[in-house]
Amino acid sequence: MKRTLFTGIGIALAVVSSTFGAGPPELQPVPAHSPHRTVLDRYCVTCHSQQLLTAGLSLESLDVEQVSEEAEMWEKVLGRLRSRAMPPVGMPRPEESDYDAFISYLEGELDRAAEASPNPGSLPAHRLNRTQYTNAIRDLLALEVDGKSLLPADSSRYGFDNIGNVLTISPMLLERYLSAARKISRLAVGDPATSPVSEIYTVPKYLKQHERMSEDLPFGSLGGIAIRQNFPLDGEYVIQIRLQTNFRRYIRGLQRARQLDVRLDGKKIKQFSIGGQHKGRSSFIFTSAGTGDIEQENYERRADEALEVRFPVKAGPRLVGIAFAKETVMPEGPYQAPLTQYDFTQYKGGNPAVRTVTITGPYNAKGVGETPSRQKIFVCYPATPEEEEPCAERILSGLARRAYRRPLSDGDLQTLLGFYRVGRSEGGFEVGVKDALERILVGPEFLFRVESEPENVAPGTAYRISDLELASRLSFFLWSSIPDDELLGLAESGKLKDPLVLEQQVRRMLTDSRSRAMVNNFAGQWLQLHNLRLLSPDPEVFSYFDDNLREAFQKETELFFESLMREDGSVLDLLNADYKFVNERLARHYQIPNVYGSHFRRVTVNDEARRGILGQGSVLTVTSYANRTSPVLRGKWVLENILGAPPPPPPPHIPELKDRDESCKKLSMRQQMEQHRANPACFVCHARMDPLGFALENFDGIGGWRTIDANAPIDASGVLPDGTTFEGPAGLRKVLLSRSEEFVTNVTEKLLTYALGRGAEFYDAPAIRKIVREAAPGDYRWSSLIMGIVQSTPFQMRRSKES
């Protein structure tokens, strides 16, 4: 029975080229010789009259009855079989029952071997990436810092920027960490000698400010910006506001008088009147100083020079809000249609809008104040010189325990006290604490996650990691930050390894607001949302695209993904959910009626094409070019991010698409791709990608719905290599859901890669299959996959180095 199955599937396995990226070979039957013949005994593989050997590998030597001996090779074969990429287009194909039976056999053999001899792999030392560093500072010191201004972006691999073997550190990067530590320690402790500095906040120039711009701004406001600013000292600060201009440098919206409010923590501290007959005069909330007139002839260019206020503020994080008051009575006049991007750059009417806000200070500093950071740091304060060092020891022990994510040794503490004593001798108790804190923030104990092998572990042996290492893995997976006191305490007591305790902690951490890091970091990188800010759709083609739509695309997908996780929905709902999150701008783009205002709300989707992630503008835009759609990019995105079956890299010297035929008639995108696929070198890969992308052709390059391309009706039908036919987004979604196990397996592999900070290897595949199998009865809920990863062998174990 088994031998019959093997020979029946031999065609699929013989196509070595589809595993390693070569072209389709010829197949020649060969008589059977041995009762223990391998799968490939039945078929000899040749390519261009030569035996096919790619990268020095051949399947002819594999014995299908000894699968575990060549696990890496068989895992590759499994991947190609699941995606039906073997054999390639045009070659004879086995029955589906043969596919499934042989896949089941291989999986069973590989999984049993992995259970008998687990290989969890090993993790290299991990430097905290920029996001993790920023979050760790927040949780350690109650201090929000702008990581992008302190540290450069990190390199990515396997789709994520937390991969250990690319998080190296160079002398230049070390200098940036030293500089960041100095700045952060001064901000956290407070430095009375701080000189005035300016921070400039810029509103994107194509962001149209005709509505309430943030939930941090009051209802009834229009445009503006909300800024979370950390004021380093008690003192006076100056806010300077500059307004948006058209390309001729004329300030917009000065036809009528408008009120511009400046608020601090929601309280109005100043109100300007600008436009109409006010010509720059201002009314004050807590001061009566005047600003004078601006010369009439320069008014339209210089009216915002009077928008400046100096005010006292206490040290610490504060919310600065700057917005116009919304008019209660709309002025009479014709309806103003939405402006194209070009028209917007010319326009000087409409509403005034904020361009930049500059905050400068402190002036006349009164002291360091009582900030959340100081409350976090100074858990004690000495009353006499004799109390200073014991208090410093208590402060530094607590900070370093959290920062290092483990109990301190006496050597750790003495190192920090050495820095404290030097600073204490030069500037007093607080300077000593500041210097020791700076040492904590640049220490390898904080910047790197290093897992040490226990003593007397044999080389090449799998062993369980310590509770403290497990706590760090867990917190950086779910929070992209350091463990909190509860998690660290359980690890120190040795209780975290208890399965019930571990499950309780995972569920607690998923309900914590810090788990939103899974949305920003995991989903943002997996779905390529971070690329949205880099895209510039061609204004000649997509004339109504603006930064409001760009921000709405990202917000929609983030809210959507977060809702699935918070509600513990099925992973399959990513493809099939019947709801969206939209505001008025996005609803207008999607042609969803009766949605008004800038706030996002959940709406039910009646349009089958808009269900799930494939109907969202974020994905459709990042998989397009600036001036057109790309079935190739979209098909490739589906293969990589949904099915986990990426195509091989393209060959060099790919010819450009021709957008017109020989008679100069404009061709649709489908017609251009069909010409391109006529090239035999391009056909094999495009046969897999293009049908998936064609199904999404009704969406234009920014996700708008269309039915015509190049003056011809759009053909959104597709045929997969296995003969499966479908049409449009709804048909594609049905096909993908019919392969739900492939999708869930891919999501699990992505999650595991992100959780471990290394690429998923062939020896991780049995663990991934186990997670997917165990999550199936619960309809693949997010909590099931996450819990499965946390409980898995790769997450809880490590392999010692070979001798």
Side-chain angles (χ1 to χ4, degrees):
M1 175 67 182
K2 183 167 64 177
R3 188 174 299 123
T4 302
L5 170 61
F6 295 161
T7 54
I9 202 76
I11 295 174
L13 292 176
V15 187
V16 186
S17 60
S18 66
T19 303
F20 302 110
E26 301 173 3
L27 298 180
Q28 297 180 349
V30 171
H33 294 292
S34 166
H36 301 290
R37 64 179 180 259
T38 65
V39 175
L40 301 182
D41 281 338
R42 179 144 175 95
Y43 291 93
C44 174
V45 183
T46 62
C47 185
H48 305 298
S49 303
Q50 296 180 0
Q51 186 176 11
L52 179 64
L53 289 172
T54 304
L57 297 171
S58 171
L59 294 185
E60 291 191 0
S61 62
L62 295 184
D63 186 347
V64 79
E65 295 184 358
Q66 299 294 327
V67 171
S68 62
E69 299 298 320
E70 293 287 350
E72 182 174 7
M73 183 72 73
W74 286 116
E75 289 290 358
K76 290 179 180 179
V77 171
L78 261 177
R80 307 301 284 186
L81 290 174
R82 283 195 211 94
S83 63
R84 301 305 191 257
M86 294 176 64
V89 182
M91 304 304 296
R93 304 184 71 84
E95 298 292 333
E96 282 298 307
S97 58
D98 287 339
Y99 268 118
D100 294 339
F102 192 65
I103 287 171
S104 178
Y105 167 75
L106 288 179
E107 287 181 347
E109 292 293 303
L110 291 165
D111 292 351
R112 279 188 290 273
E115 187 174 357
S117 181
N119 180 3
S122 59
L123 299 183
H126 275 66
R127 172 178 57 81
L128 302 192
N129 68 14
R130 184 170 68 183
T131 299
Q132 294 168 343
Y133 182 90
T134 302
N135 292 345
I137 295 299
R138 176 201 65 199
D139 296 339
L140 180 67
L141 301 174
L143 181 66
E144 297 279 357
V145 297
D146 180 12
K148 294 179 180 179
S149 67
L150 296 173
L151 299 170
D154 298 291
S155 300
S156 295
R157 194 172 182 186
Y158 307 111
F160 299 104
D161 64 2
N162 67 338
I163 304 302
N165 55 13
V166 298
L167 289 173
T168 57
I169 190 162
S170 64
M172 185 176 295
L173 182 55
L174 182 57
E175 284 293 328
R176 296 289 295 271
Y177 275 112
L178 288 169
S179 175
R182 283 192 293 269
K183 182 175 182 178
I184 290 167
S185 60
R186 286 199 304 269
L187 282 173
V189 174
D191 183 358
T194 299
S195 300
V197 296
S198 296
E199 294 193 55
I200 302 175
Y201 299 89
T202 302
V203 181
K205 65 179 179 179
Y206 293 122
L207 188 69
K208 296 172 183 175
Q209 301 177 42
H210 50 248
E211 55 194 359
R212 181 182 177 220
M213 301 305 293
S214 168
E215 294 179 359
D216 290 325
L217 294 173
F219 288 104
S221 66
L222 192 73
I225 183 174
I227 301 167
R228 295 195 176 275
Q229 172 79 6
N230 188 73
F231 293 90
L233 298 175
D234 292 352
E236 295 180 355
Y237 295 81
V238 174
I239 292 180
Q240 180 188 74
I241 304 164
R242 293 293 178 261
L243 300 181
Q244 202 175 75
T245 64
N246 68 3
F247 88 112
R248 295 180 183 273
R249 310 304 298 170
Y250 285 101
I251 296 173
R252 290 194 179 96
L254 297 182
Q255 314 92 304
R256 304 186 306 277
R258 302 300 297 269
Q259 306 301 316
L260 178 63
D261 297 333
V262 181
R263 286 179 165 81
L264 184 68
D265 292 335
K267 181 180 179 181
K268 190 185 296 182
I269 60 173
K270 186 173 182 179
Q271 184 178 77
F272 293 100
S273 292
I274 190 167
Q277 300 303 312
H278 292 279
K279 296 182 174 58
R281 296 185 182 276
S282 57
S283 58
F284 290 74
I285 300 303
F286 64 85
T287 179
S288 58
T291 61
D293 290 331
I294 298 176
E295 296 178 7
Q296 176 67 34
E297 62 270 21
N298 293 322
Y299 178 58
E300 288 188 334
R301 294 175 185 258
R302 302 177 58 193
D304 56 3
E305 290 183 2
L307 304 182
E308 186 173 300
V309 57
R310 184 165 175 154
F311 61 100
V313 64
K314 294 289 186 180
R318 300 282 183 263
L319 177 64
V320 176
I322 298 167
F324 291 91
K326 196 169 187 177
E327 294 176 302
T328 55
V329 178
M330 295 299 295
E332 294 184 3
Y335 167 72
Q336 175 64 60
L339 297 173
T340 66
Q341 193 175 116
Y342 174 78
D343 291 338
F344 183 65
T345 64
Q346 310 290 316
Y347 192 52
K348 70 173 187 177
N351 297 314
V354 173
R355 174 166 53 98
T356 64
V357 175
T358 304
I359 302 176
T360 306
Y363 299 102
N364 300 326
K366 302 294 192 298
V368 296
E370 282 303 314
T371 65
S373 295
R374 286 180 60 84
Q375 294 171 7
K376 191 96 169 179
I377 294 168
F378 292 105
V379 293
C380 60
Y381 208 90
T384 65
E386 292 74 22
E387 295 177 359
E388 289 185 358
E389 185 153 322
C391 180
E393 184 174 330
R394 180 182 172 191
I395 289 171
L396 299 177
S397 296
L399 288 174
R401 169 182 172 268
R402 289 285 314 282
Y404 298 170
R405 307 171 290 277
R406 58 171 173 76
L408 258 64
S409 67
D410 184 64
D412 294 328
L413 183 57
Q414 291 307 315
T415 297
L416 297 177
L417 287 175
F419 281 84
Y420 161 77
R421 290 167 187 145
V422 172
R424 164 69 179 81
S425 67
E426 295 175 351
F429 173 74
E430 291 197 4
V431 173
V433 171
K434 178 183 71 66
D435 286 358
L437 174 59
E438 186 177 331
R439 166 59 180 82
I440 290 174
L441 298 182
V442 296
E445 305 90 345
F446 173 62
L447 291 180
F448 288 87
R449 293 166 51 201
V450 180
E451 297 178 349
S452 302
E453 292 183 6
E455 296 182 2
N456 302 322
V457 173
T461 301
Y463 64 90
R464 188 170 296 277
I465 61 175
S466 71
D467 277 34
L468 289 168
E469 292 165 343
L470 180 59
S472 280
R473 286 193 182 190
L474 189 57
S475 65
F476 282 101
F477 172 31
L478 300 182
W479 289 348
S480 294
S481 186
I482 56 177
D484 62 2
D485 282 326
E486 181 175 338
L487 184 62
L488 195 56
L490 289 169
E492 288 172 334
S493 65
K495 296 179 181 178
L496 188 59
K497 68 171 68 71
D498 183 293
L500 291 178
V501 173
L502 183 61
E503 181 173 350
Q504 290 170 355
Q505 287 301 302
V506 171
R507 296 193 182 280
R508 175 184 73 87
M509 295 172 73
L510 286 174
T511 60
D512 191 284
S513 61
R514 284 168 286 189
S515 67
R516 200 173 192 280
M518 292 288 291
V519 178
N520 298 332
N521 301 329
F522 171 69
Q525 294 183 80
W526 168 38
L527 301 176
Q528 301 174 9
L529 301 184
H530 293 179
N531 292 345
L532 271 173
R533 67 179 182 271
L534 306 175
L535 300 178
S536 298
D538 188 340
E540 298 259 336
V541 180
F542 305 109
S543 55
Y544 291 99
F545 183 86
D546 52 31
D547 283 320
N548 305 70
L549 192 58
R550 184 197 309 273
E551 291 186 359
F553 282 162
Q554 179 137 354
K555 184 78 169 177
E556 174 198 14
T557 303
E558 289 176 348
L559 289 172
F560 176 67
F561 190 89
E562 185 174 17
S563 74
L564 293 177
M565 290 198 62
R566 296 285 183 219
E567 297 166 19
D568 199 17
S570 170
V571 170
L572 300 179
D573 288 341
L574 269 171
L575 298 176
N576 200 37
D578 64 350
Y579 64 89
K580 303 182 80 63
F581 289 89
V582 295
N583 62 0
E584 182 177 353
R585 177 69 182 90
L586 189 57
R588 185 168 70 246
H589 185 67
Y590 289 161
Q591 302 176 13
I592 298 175
N594 305 320
V595 176
Y596 305 101
S598 60
H599 66 285
F600 280 77
R601 77 293 316 260
R602 180 169 171 165
V603 299
T604 300
V605 176
N606 296 319
D607 183 357
E608 284 286 319
R610 287 289 180 190
R611 293 171 71 116
I613 196 74
L614 294 179
Q616 295 185 7
S618 58
V619 169
L620 295 165
T621 302
V622 300
T623 54
S624 297
Y625 290 116
N627 61 351
R628 64 170 176 84
T629 61
S630 174
V632 175
L633 291 182
R634 288 177 175 176
K636 180 174 180 286
W637 190 94
V638 171
L639 286 174
E640 288 182 342
N641 295 289
I642 303 299
L643 296 175
H653 311 302
I654 300 176
E656 294 288 334
L657 295 180
K658 297 179 180 179
D659 61 354
R660 295 184 182 274
D661 62 15
E662 294 178 355
S663 64
C664 290
K665 178 182 178 183
K666 188 172 178 60
L667 299 175
S668 69
M669 180 51 58
R670 188 182 188 104
Q671 291 169 331
Q672 294 177 51
M673 291 306 305
E674 286 173 349
Q675 280 192 355
H676 182 72
R677 290 170 63 188
N679 185 337
C682 303
F683 177 75
V684 173
C685 293
H686 282 279
R688 297 175 59 209
M689 291 187 293
D690 293 0
L692 305 174
F694 287 147
L696 302 174
E697 268 295 279
N698 282 116
F699 295 117
D700 67 20
I702 57 172
W705 186 258
R706 61 180 185 165
T707 56
I708 301 294
D709 181 28
N711 299 318
I714 289 174
D715 179 2
S717 63
V719 181
L720 295 180
D722 64 1
T724 301
T725 60
F726 54 91
E727 183 164 359
L732 173 60
R733 186 173 59 253
K734 184 176 179 180
V735 169
L736 296 176
L737 288 171
S738 71
R739 301 180 176 183
S740 58
E741 188 172 331
E742 291 177 50
F743 172 52
V744 177
T745 297
N746 185 50
V747 174
T748 306
E749 182 176 321
K750 298 287 186 183
L751 276 169
L752 186 67
T753 297
Y754 177 78
L756 296 177
R758 67 164 174 81
E761 301 290 347
F762 74 93
Y763 45 76
D764 297 313
I768 293 171
R769 287 192 287 269
K770 181 180 179 182
I771 294 168
V772 172
R773 281 195 301 269
E774 293 179 350
D779 197 25
Y780 303 115
R781 296 191 178 277
W782 280 101
S783 62
S784 298
L785 294 186
I786 291 172
M787 190 65 66
I789 285 171
V790 172
Q791 295 171 339
S792 70
T793 294
F795 195 85
Q796 294 206 7
M797 300 185 74
R798 191 170 186 269
R799 187 181 180 88
S800 61
K801 295 179 181 178
E802 300 287 347
S803 57

